[in-house]
Amino acid sequence: MVFAMSHFLTHALALHSLDAVDAGSDVFRAVWRSPPGTILLYAALIAHMVLALFKLYRRRSLRMPLWEVFQIGLGLAIPFWLAVHVVATRGLNEVYDVKDIYPLQFAWVWAEGAGRQTVMLLLVWIHGCIGLHFWLRIQPWYHNVWPLALVLAALLPGFALAGFTVGGREVQAIMAGDPTWLERATAAGNWPSKDEWDWVYRNERGFLWLFSGLIVVALGARLIRRRRERLAGKVQIRYLDGTTTSIEPGMTVLEGSRAAGIPHASVCGGRGRCSTCRIRVGAGAEHLPPPADDEAKVLKRIGTADYVRLACQIRPVADLEITPLLPAMAGPSASQTQVNPGAGAERQIAVLFADIRAFTRMAEGRLPFDVVFILNQYFKAMGSAIEGAGGRVDKFIGDGIMALFGIDTEPADACRQALVAAQAMSFELDNLNKEIQAELTEPLKVGIGLHVGPVIVGEMGHRQATSVTAIGDAVNVASRLEVATKEFGAQLLVSERLARLAKVSLDGFKKQDITIRGRQRPLGVYIIEDAKALPILGERETKPRRGTFRFARLFRSNDTHQIVR
Ligand code: FES
């Protein structure tokens, strides 16, 4: 990227004059064609390509976030566009002592077609910028500088292309005014003959065959390894909500989640830097090897206990029970969240409690197997609604659910996420009731309580039963609101404080002050018969399917309409 930047800056000098770009290119060549510059540049290029191909081989699953697909696609395309440029400049200079000075480059590139040059420049730049962005975005300081970085990222190629256009046109004008200019300049620059151009294209083709061959080798080696691992049998990964997925030994847990379509946070894309994929490992953890140096460093940074591991780094060889510790939509700020806050930290957290109405009556007279089946379907549906909204299922208690919002977001975002989750749960419940109506004598109903307030967040429990959870008045109040939904015959009770912090108007719903046991002052609550009637805070997929219902993630605390899917 440093090379690309200096190259683009040199292009941009043509906006001043051809002399300026020529002088700039002397400096550029003096740096990058010196022995240290050459070693640095080509070692970086080769290391980058080899590591990228090795990573392609190591991937057990090709399912990945869109940005990564784009990034890898651009990376693989670059050599096909760039090879001829490198051979025709550096290669000709080294082998045939051609002076690849800028005015001649402009004349040549202009004749070949400026479009190719433009595409090449943009491919390199966008690929590099995506890489830098996803590398740096977990750094706390990056949040403050990224708007400026974005401006620079747009300006630099803009100036480079403008310089290229101005320089190219200027050379065209010179050639129009002096028909002998090109001949004289090519002679002075020792510009290549037809044979030498054949040499350029031969070498370009040779390099591209080699590169294509390496891609085929990497993909072929993946296939062979896959066949071998398949023969070795599968490993079961069990998630907190009862979901189980089978992965091939050698796959990371994160790759397993992706392959099974289970949302899992991974801000750095599985590079072992961000820690957002962190999981608590339960039964089966004894078969895992201890963390390697890189993983250990990240775990130390976030202060974990020894049963916390990075899902992108562990490759289970035996069945394993896991609990993701951050919501699937955790953002870069979560990479700084300490897992083990020791004595705990006080935070404003939105708390959601939900419970199935008349569950005991429904369970009566059923086979235990049926009850477990219905409950697991219910937990899965509600869990995905909560996580889809950005929350985190804290625990399942009998047929009840406790969820937290705001572990890694601002309180205003957390409150809106909690409302989005309640609405999503209501839609999901309707879907579930339709899907399993043959198993039910009457549709499942839920009561949901939502409140926000300061709570102590910390790791609590003992040994394997330890997890990050919250205690405090807000938790008790949310639980009481859920119980009070029975009294009001409503699906949802939302504390006035939560609605106010979320900056969501619930004026159309009945409001009442209620007394909460243990609190001196009454609490204002909105009584919402059906949570589907809440104002739409997120976009809903038009055809909800089980497990794919997703509400959009609220992006900014001061803009309730700014939505990112
Ligand atoms: S995905 Fe970033 S550390 Fe695992």
Side-chain angles (χ1 to χ4, degrees):
M1 279 300 271
V2 174
F3 173 84
M5 271 187 241
S6 57
H7 199 358
F8 296 174
L9 280 173
T10 311
H11 273 331
L13 289 174
L15 286 173
H16 184 274
S17 65
L18 283 179
D19 287 343
V21 77
D22 228 12
S25 66
D26 285 345
V27 177
F28 173 79
R29 275 191 288 267
V31 173
W32 294 111
R33 293 189 182 175
S34 66
T38 302
I39 292 170
L40 198 63
L41 175 62
Y42 288 94
L45 265 180
I46 292 168
H48 192 70
M49 281 198 285
V50 170
L51 288 176
L53 290 172
F54 182 61
K55 197 162 171 223
L56 189 64
Y57 160 74
R58 290 227 334 162
R59 276 181 184 279
R60 288 339 201 244
S61 160
L62 292 181
R63 278 205 194 196
M64 56 190 101
L66 208 58
W67 70 263
E68 236 185 310
V69 175
F70 191 54
Q71 167 79 337
I72 292 175
L74 288 178
L76 291 177
I78 286 172
F80 292 91
W81 290 82
L82 196 66
V84 71
H85 181 66
V86 177
V87 183
T89 50
R90 185 71 190 260
L92 280 178
N93 175 261
E94 292 291 337
V95 179
Y96 292 100
D97 195 27
V98 170
K99 311 272 179 293
D100 50 330
I101 53 171
Y102 257 78
L104 278 175
Q105 293 277 356
F106 283 144
W108 171 58
V109 170
W110 212 252
E112 285 280 307
R116 183 187 176 91
Q117 198 76 1
T118 306
V119 172
M120 190 168 71
L121 183 147
L122 292 177
L123 281 181
V124 170
W125 191 244
I126 295 171
H127 176 74
C129 287
I130 296 176
L132 281 180
H133 173 71
F134 281 93
W135 172 44
L136 293 176
R137 71 176 183 155
I138 60 171
Q139 304 297 332
W141 54 264
Y142 183 64
H143 185 69
N144 297 327
V145 302
W146 86 264
L148 179 66
L150 190 64
V151 172
L152 289 178
L155 282 182
L156 192 54
F159 279 126
L161 287 174
F164 169 58
T165 310
V166 170
R169 294 177 68 140
E170 210 172 317
V171 169
Q172 294 299 304
I174 293 172
M175 289 197 302
D178 178 0
T180 62
W181 179 87
L182 186 60
E183 206 179 315
R184 282 187 284 113
T186 48
N190 198 18
W191 205 240
S193 65
K194 185 180 169 309
D195 284 354
E196 285 149 2
W197 277 117
D198 286 347
W199 178 87
V200 168
Y201 292 122
R202 243 192 352 266
N203 278 287
E204 183 213 8
R205 274 197 305 277
F207 171 76
L208 291 182
W209 276 113
L210 175 70
F211 185 66
S212 307
L214 288 174
I215 296 177
V216 172
V217 168
L219 293 174
R222 279 186 81 239
L223 280 180
I224 295 168
R225 185 201 53 216
R226 200 164 170 185
R227 279 185 75 86
R228 269 211 339 254
E229 288 174 349
R230 276 207 175 141
L231 291 176
K234 297 231 174 186
V235 172
Q236 303 272 316
I237 304 292
R238 228 171 81 81
Y239 293 76
L240 171 73
D241 64 355
T243 308
T244 303
T245 177
S246 302
I247 66 170
E248 286 151 28
M251 259 182 154
T252 65
V253 171
L254 180 66
E255 286 172 330
S257 296
R258 284 175 175 171
I262 299 168
H264 200 131
S266 59
V267 166
C268 72
R271 290 169 171 78
R273 294 187 197 131
C274 67
S275 84
T276 53
C277 63
R278 65 189 77 156
I279 50 173
R280 177 156 58 85
V281 286
E286 63 280 9
H287 301 295
L288 291 172
D293 285 356
D294 287 348
E295 185 189 358
K297 225 184 283 167
V298 175
L299 293 174
K300 192 168 167 215
R301 189 187 80 215
I302 55 171
T304 61
D306 54 6
Y307 45 79
V308 174
R309 300 293 298 268
L310 299 183
C312 67
Q313 299 300 307
I314 54 170
R315 300 175 187 275
V317 289
D319 296 355
L320 182 67
E321 212 172 71
I322 66 155
T323 310
L325 291 175
L326 291 175
M329 294 169 78
S333 61
S335 62
Q336 307 302 324
T337 314
Q338 293 274 314
V339 163
N340 189 9
E346 192 178 68
R347 313 214 27 188
Q348 289 269 351
I349 296 280
V351 186
L352 177 152
F353 265 89
D355 200 50
I356 303 181
R357 294 283 87 104
F359 180 73
T360 318
R361 195 173 69 220
M362 191 211 80
E364 268 168 15
R366 282 179 186 278
L367 291 173
F369 177 82
D370 290 342
V371 176
V372 170
F373 170 77
I374 293 171
L375 265 184
N376 275 337
Q377 296 302 307
Y378 166 77
F379 286 148
K380 195 169 169 185
M382 298 302 110
S384 69
I386 290 165
E387 291 184 354
R392 175 168 173 246
V393 175
D394 183 80
K395 50 176 81 79
F396 297 112
I397 318 148
D399 60 309
I401 301 172
M402 173 178 161
L404 304 175
F405 299 82
I407 299 272
D408 65 321
T409 48
E410 294 301 313
D413 284 338
C415 293
R416 279 196 296 277
Q417 287 173 344
L419 286 167
V420 170
Q423 193 179 42
M425 288 166 76
S426 183
F427 279 115
E428 274 289 321
L429 192 69
D430 285 0
N431 290 338
L432 181 65
N433 278 329
K434 273 187 217 131
E435 275 179 30
I436 58 169
Q437 60 185 352
E439 319 285 330
L440 302 169
T441 46
E442 57 181 295
L444 294 175
K445 292 194 183 111
V446 288
I448 306 171
L450 291 183
H451 184 54
V452 64
V455 294
I456 304 290
V457 181
E459 268 200 3
M460 297 168 216
H462 180 59
R463 293 183 187 261
Q464 296 297 332
T466 307
S467 64
V468 176
T469 188
I471 50 167
D473 185 52
V475 178
N476 301 334
V477 172
S479 164
R480 301 258 154 79
L481 291 185
E482 176 268 304
V483 174
T485 54
K486 284 183 214 153
E487 190 186 317
F488 292 103
Q491 190 177 48
L492 173 66
L493 255 60
V494 180
S495 72
E496 195 186 352
R497 176 181 161 79
L498 186 138
R500 195 176 53 245
L501 261 181
K503 296 198 187 97
V504 172
S505 168
L506 298 182
D507 291 346
F509 299 99
K510 189 173 166 204
K511 196 179 131 206
Q512 191 169 322
D513 286 348
I514 64 169
T515 310
I516 301 273
R517 191 156 44 91
R519 280 176 72 102
Q520 288 177 341
R521 285 196 291 178
L523 182 79
V525 294
Y526 289 99
I527 300 159
I528 296 157
E529 247 170 66
D530 183 345
K532 291 190 287 296
L534 280 169
I536 296 290
L537 298 172
E539 277 177 48
R540 186 165 167 262
E541 288 178 0
T542 45
K543 279 195 197 152
R545 283 171 284 121
R546 292 295 326 281
T548 59
F549 181 96
R550 271 190 204 119
F551 267 75
R553 176 178 167 202
L554 291 154
F555 189 49
R556 289 212 184 107
S557 56
N558 57 356
D559 185 354
T560 52
H561 302 292
Q562 177 100 29
I563 300 299
V564 174
R565 263 185 190 282

mmCIF file of all heavy atoms in Angstrom, residues 254 265-277 298 310-313, ligand 1:
data_model
loop_
_atom_site.group_PDB
_atom_site.id
_atom_site.type_symbol
_atom_site.label_atom_id
_atom_site.label_comp_id
_atom_site.label_asym_id
_atom_site.label_seq_id
_atom_site.Cartn_x
_atom_site.Cartn_y
_atom_site.Cartn_z
ATOM 1 N N LEU A 254 -15.711 -21.347 14.070
ATOM 2 C CA LEU A 254 -16.319 -20.253 13.309
ATOM 3 C C LEU A 254 -16.696 -20.725 11.906
ATOM 4 O O LEU A 254 -17.787 -20.427 11.405
ATOM 5 C CB LEU A 254 -15.349 -19.072 13.225
ATOM 6 C CG LEU A 254 -15.859 -17.860 12.453
ATOM 7 C CD1 LEU A 254 -17.045 -17.217 13.172
ATOM 8 C CD2 LEU A 254 -14.769 -16.819 12.253
ATOM 9 N N ALA A 265 -20.462 -13.748 15.613
ATOM 10 C CA ALA A 265 -19.679 -12.504 15.472
ATOM 11 C C ALA A 265 -18.261 -12.820 15.004
ATOM 12 O O ALA A 265 -17.656 -13.796 15.455
ATOM 13 C CB ALA A 265 -19.630 -11.789 16.822
ATOM 14 N N SER A 266 -17.739 -12.005 14.110
ATOM 15 C CA SER A 266 -16.341 -12.189 13.657
ATOM 16 C C SER A 266 -15.898 -10.903 12.965
ATOM 17 O O SER A 266 -15.807 -10.841 11.755
ATOM 18 C CB SER A 266 -16.213 -13.366 12.694
ATOM 19 O OG SER A 266 -17.019 -13.171 11.561
ATOM 20 N N VAL A 267 -15.617 -9.895 13.778
ATOM 21 C CA VAL A 267 -15.303 -8.572 13.233
ATOM 22 C C VAL A 267 -14.056 -8.604 12.344
ATOM 23 O O VAL A 267 -14.000 -7.939 11.318
ATOM 24 C CB VAL A 267 -15.142 -7.558 14.394
ATOM 25 C CG1 VAL A 267 -14.494 -6.279 13.920
ATOM 26 C CG2 VAL A 267 -16.507 -7.250 15.007
ATOM 27 N N CYS A 268 -13.055 -9.397 12.718
ATOM 28 C CA CYS A 268 -11.810 -9.403 11.915
ATOM 29 C C CYS A 268 -11.848 -10.471 10.835
ATOM 30 O O CYS A 268 -10.843 -10.694 10.157
ATOM 31 C CB CYS A 268 -10.594 -9.579 12.808
ATOM 32 S SG CYS A 268 -10.441 -11.232 13.486
ATOM 33 N N GLY A 269 -12.985 -11.130 10.669
ATOM 34 C CA GLY A 269 -13.108 -12.130 9.600
ATOM 35 C C GLY A 269 -12.360 -13.419 9.906
ATOM 36 O O GLY A 269 -11.952 -14.107 8.978
ATOM 37 N N GLY A 270 -12.146 -13.714 11.181
ATOM 38 C CA GLY A 270 -11.518 -14.992 11.525
ATOM 39 C C GLY A 270 -10.009 -14.937 11.533
ATOM 40 O O GLY A 270 -9.353 -15.962 11.434
ATOM 41 N N ARG A 271 -9.447 -13.746 11.677
ATOM 42 C CA ARG A 271 -7.992 -13.628 11.654
ATOM 43 C C ARG A 271 -7.367 -13.694 13.054
ATOM 44 O O ARG A 271 -6.175 -13.452 13.207
ATOM 45 C CB ARG A 271 -7.587 -12.317 10.980
ATOM 46 C CG ARG A 271 -7.860 -12.321 9.498
ATOM 47 C CD ARG A 271 -7.705 -10.934 8.914
ATOM 48 N NE ARG A 271 -7.765 -10.938 7.478
ATOM 49 C CZ ARG A 271 -8.879 -11.033 6.769
ATOM 50 N NH1 ARG A 271 -10.051 -11.135 7.389
ATOM 51 N NH2 ARG A 271 -8.863 -11.033 5.450
ATOM 52 N N GLY A 272 -8.198 -13.941 14.063
ATOM 53 C CA GLY A 272 -7.654 -14.080 15.416
ATOM 54 C C GLY A 272 -7.171 -12.779 16.016
ATOM 55 O O GLY A 272 -6.240 -12.773 16.810
ATOM 56 N N ARG A 273 -7.806 -11.658 15.646
ATOM 57 C CA ARG A 273 -7.337 -10.371 16.183
ATOM 58 C C ARG A 273 -8.374 -9.692 17.063
ATOM 59 O O ARG A 273 -8.028 -8.998 17.992
ATOM 60 C CB ARG A 273 -7.040 -9.411 15.028
ATOM 61 C CG ARG A 273 -5.901 -9.815 14.158
ATOM 62 C CD ARG A 273 -5.617 -8.688 13.180
ATOM 63 N NE ARG A 273 -4.829 -9.146 12.080
ATOM 64 C CZ ARG A 273 -5.112 -8.908 10.811
ATOM 65 N NH1 ARG A 273 -6.177 -8.208 10.491
ATOM 66 N NH2 ARG A 273 -4.343 -9.357 9.862
ATOM 67 N N CYS A 274 -9.665 -9.869 16.709
ATOM 68 C CA CYS A 274 -10.674 -9.007 17.336
ATOM 69 C C CYS A 274 -11.257 -9.579 18.616
ATOM 70 O O CYS A 274 -11.766 -8.840 19.433
ATOM 71 C CB CYS A 274 -11.800 -8.730 16.350
ATOM 72 S SG CYS A 274 -12.743 -10.209 15.958
ATOM 73 N N SER A 275 -11.260 -10.870 18.745
ATOM 74 C CA SER A 275 -11.812 -11.588 19.915
ATOM 75 C C SER A 275 -13.336 -11.619 19.951
ATOM 76 O O SER A 275 -13.911 -12.135 20.900
ATOM 77 C CB SER A 275 -11.282 -11.008 21.238
ATOM 78 O OG SER A 275 -12.048 -9.880 21.637
ATOM 79 N N THR A 276 -14.010 -11.060 18.944
ATOM 80 C CA THR A 276 -15.483 -11.039 19.017
ATOM 81 C C THR A 276 -16.108 -12.416 18.791
ATOM 82 O O THR A 276 -17.279 -12.609 19.054
ATOM 83 C CB THR A 276 -16.079 -10.060 17.984
ATOM 84 O OG1 THR A 276 -15.550 -10.381 16.701
ATOM 85 C CG2 THR A 276 -15.757 -8.628 18.323
ATOM 86 N N CYS A 277 -15.326 -13.370 18.291
ATOM 87 C CA CYS A 277 -15.875 -14.708 18.078
ATOM 88 C C CYS A 277 -15.764 -15.546 19.356
ATOM 89 O O CYS A 277 -16.052 -16.729 19.336
ATOM 90 C CB CYS A 277 -15.136 -15.398 16.936
ATOM 91 S SG CYS A 277 -13.390 -15.646 17.322
ATOM 92 N N VAL A 298 -4.404 -12.680 22.429
ATOM 93 C CA VAL A 298 -5.709 -11.997 22.354
ATOM 94 C C VAL A 298 -6.529 -12.319 23.608
ATOM 95 O O VAL A 298 -7.161 -11.439 24.204
ATOM 96 C CB VAL A 298 -6.470 -12.427 21.080
ATOM 97 C CG1 VAL A 298 -7.865 -11.832 21.061
ATOM 98 C CG2 VAL A 298 -5.705 -11.993 19.856
ATOM 99 N N LEU A 310 -11.194 -18.660 21.283
ATOM 100 C CA LEU A 310 -11.621 -17.953 20.067
ATOM 101 C C LEU A 310 -12.144 -18.978 19.063
ATOM 102 O O LEU A 310 -11.413 -19.912 18.694
ATOM 103 C CB LEU A 310 -10.443 -17.190 19.454
ATOM 104 C CG LEU A 310 -9.816 -16.102 20.329
ATOM 105 C CD1 LEU A 310 -8.703 -15.394 19.549
ATOM 106 C CD2 LEU A 310 -10.861 -15.082 20.778
ATOM 107 N N ALA A 311 -13.384 -18.766 18.628
ATOM 108 C CA ALA A 311 -14.009 -19.747 17.727
ATOM 109 C C ALA A 311 -13.266 -19.848 16.402
ATOM 110 O O ALA A 311 -13.313 -20.871 15.736
ATOM 111 C CB ALA A 311 -15.462 -19.354 17.486
ATOM 112 N N CYS A 312 -12.561 -18.770 16.019
ATOM 113 C CA CYS A 312 -11.875 -18.816 14.717
ATOM 114 C C CYS A 312 -10.530 -19.511 14.815
ATOM 115 O O CYS A 312 -9.869 -19.707 13.810
ATOM 116 C CB CYS A 312 -11.706 -17.401 14.157
ATOM 117 S SG CYS A 312 -10.584 -16.385 15.119
ATOM 118 N N GLN A 313 -10.103 -19.853 16.025
ATOM 119 C CA GLN A 313 -8.764 -20.446 16.168
ATOM 120 C C GLN A 313 -8.793 -21.911 16.586
ATOM 121 O O GLN A 313 -7.797 -22.607 16.434
ATOM 122 C CB GLN A 313 -7.946 -19.646 17.194
ATOM 123 C CG GLN A 313 -7.738 -18.195 16.813
ATOM 124 C CD GLN A 313 -7.004 -18.028 15.501
ATOM 125 O OE1 GLN A 313 -5.931 -18.575 15.297
ATOM 126 N NE2 GLN A 313 -7.602 -17.294 14.571
HETATM 127 S S1 FES B 1 -13.080 -13.546 14.374
HETATM 128 FE FE1 FES B 1 -11.757 -12.046 15.140
HETATM 129 S S2 FES B 1 -10.689 -13.153 16.659
HETATM 130 FE FE2 FES B 1 -11.966 -14.651 15.856
#
